[in-house]
Amino acid sequence: MLNIAVFASGRGSNFEALQRAILSKKIPAQIVVVISNNSQSGVLALARTFSLNALHISQRQFQNEEAFNQKILETLRSYNVDLIVLAGYMKKLDRSIIRAFSNRIINIHPALLPKFGGEGMYGMHVHEAVIEAKEKYSGATVHIVDEEYDHGKILLQDIVAVDANETPESLAAKVLKIEHRILPEVVQLIAEDKLNK
Ligand code: GRF
């Protein structure tokens, strides 16, 4: 059984898609903890509706970054976490965590990396940039997290067409549907040890 920690800062629709897939497709995995840096985030409330452990861990609760990172590492160890899933986590993970979980952290990004990634490329900014660049296609990417933003090995992508009258909002909605499909798919591949390494 693969023990998963989900990190998220917002509404948590990707978390929910993953949790529902785990339950319905009998993926040999379980979300052992959901961690958010935002106490008001929808994801924490949502996680509790599934009776999952949902923790608010924010830098503001600690005297310095090191103590904050230490708390995260301790928490991950205490839940025997095998895989970290970043699902809209709006904070860069410290390299101490990335090193401790090398190749065991994945992220979902709402565009076709390596395009439209990097610092500042999150949320609606991504979709605005795609439309601005007159791209014909966009999509979503699940990738391994390394020490650079949106940079690690790409595991799975899927595409959508950008229509002539597309708005950032309409594009976000189309891309989100793909996200909800490919994130659980990658987790399933990892849980079943079917991912080519
Ligand atoms: C998604 O678009 C994801 O790609 C990005 O943050 C958003 C999170 O949405 N990294 P949600 O909280 O899962 O609904």
Side-chain angles (χ1 to χ4, degrees):
M1 189 68 109
L2 187 77
N3 286 339
I4 298 172
V6 174
F7 282 62
S9 306
R11 72 195 148 180
S13 72
N14 278 287
F15 151 73
E16 184 173 9
L18 177 59
Q19 171 66 358
R20 290 196 185 281
I22 287 172
L23 296 176
S24 72
K25 292 187 182 169
K26 305 196 173 53
I27 299 174
Q30 56 181 344
I31 296 175
V32 289
V33 64
V34 175
I35 296 174
S36 183
N37 55 344
N38 172 5
S39 64
Q40 300 306 309
S41 58
V43 72
L44 288 178
L46 201 51
R48 292 185 183 120
T49 68
F50 288 96
S51 302
L52 295 175
N53 300 306
L55 306 180
H56 171 227
I57 306 179
S58 155
Q59 199 178 331
R60 280 183 252 163
Q61 299 158 327
F62 300 88
Q63 298 215 318
N64 52 47
E65 278 279 322
E66 205 183 325
F68 166 67
N69 292 321
Q70 202 48 45
K71 173 71 183 175
I72 290 188
L73 276 171
E74 275 167 24
T75 306
L76 295 170
R77 291 201 181 108
S78 72
Y79 285 98
N80 278 315
V81 168
D82 303 306
L83 178 73
I84 298 175
V85 174
L86 304 184
Y89 187 60
M90 301 300 290
K91 182 168 168 47
K92 197 170 188 218
L93 282 186
D94 187 70
R95 65 162 85 99
S96 60
I97 300 167
I98 296 176
R99 286 181 186 165
F101 284 82
S102 168
N103 282 317
R104 293 187 294 147
I105 311 176
I106 61 173
N107 179 47
I108 175 89
H109 184 77
L112 296 173
L113 292 176
K115 281 185 164 181
F116 305 105
E119 202 162 358
M121 275 294 171
Y122 61 88
M124 258 338 144
H125 300 301
V126 177
H127 306 297
E128 281 161 7
V130 169
I131 291 173
E132 183 75 14
K134 300 195 172 18
E135 293 288 318
K136 290 205 163 55
Y137 298 96
S138 189
T141 304
V142 179
H143 65 96
I144 297 276
V145 172
D146 65 11
E147 290 179 33
E148 270 177 63
Y149 266 119
D150 300 325
H151 173 266
K153 183 178 175 188
I154 291 171
L155 301 175
L156 191 61
Q157 295 184 302
D158 201 1
I159 64 169
V160 287
V162 180
D163 296 329
N165 57 354
E166 202 77 73
T167 65
E169 291 74 20
S170 65
L171 184 57
K174 291 201 296 201
V175 169
L176 195 63
K177 279 194 191 158
I178 292 184
E179 295 181 40
H180 293 169
R181 187 158 40 74
I182 68 173
L183 181 61
E185 208 171 314
V186 170
V187 170
Q188 179 158 17
L189 291 171
I190 294 172
E192 294 175 350
D193 208 15
K194 289 181 182 156
L195 201 70
N196 291 331
K197 286 171 194 138

